[in-house]
Amino acid sequence: MTLDEPNNNWCLSRAMLETLLKLQPNQRRQFVKACRLAIESNGKITVAEGELYRVIVCFLEVPEPPLTVTL
């Protein structure tokens, strides 16, 4: 098993996370909905996509059920 290279764009990632935290609750729900639609668009949900969605939902404090992973 090999690990991915570390993210060299941490400053950019941190800036984006801080921007997302500034969203109003309604905007946060819209963003989460857009993420869900993008993940579900191909009809398959991978474990990585499901976990990323869970992290986004938790980070933005938007109550949403977890996605069902397609095996």
Side-chain angles (χ1 to χ4, degrees):
M1 176 177 173
T2 60
L3 299 176
D4 293 337
E5 290 296 318
N7 182 355
N8 294 326
N9 295 317
W10 172 244
C11 291
L12 179 61
S13 298
R14 183 181 175 95
M16 179 46 77
L17 292 173
E18 289 173 357
T19 299
L20 288 172
L21 285 175
K22 293 177 185 175
L23 294 175
Q24 297 298 315
N26 188 42
Q27 294 171 315
R28 289 180 183 199
R29 286 189 295 275
Q30 289 175 337
F31 180 78
V32 167
K33 182 179 179 180
C35 291
R36 183 182 195 106
L37 290 172
I39 291 169
E40 294 176 337
S41 66
N42 68 350
K44 297 179 182 177
I45 301 172
T46 65
V47 172
E49 290 170 333
E51 288 298 309
L52 178 59
Y53 180 77
R54 187 181 64 80
V55 168
I56 291 169
V57 167
C58 289
F59 180 75
L60 294 178
E61 299 177 340
V62 176
E64 280 285 313
L67 297 176
T68 303
V69 174
T70 308
L71 298 177

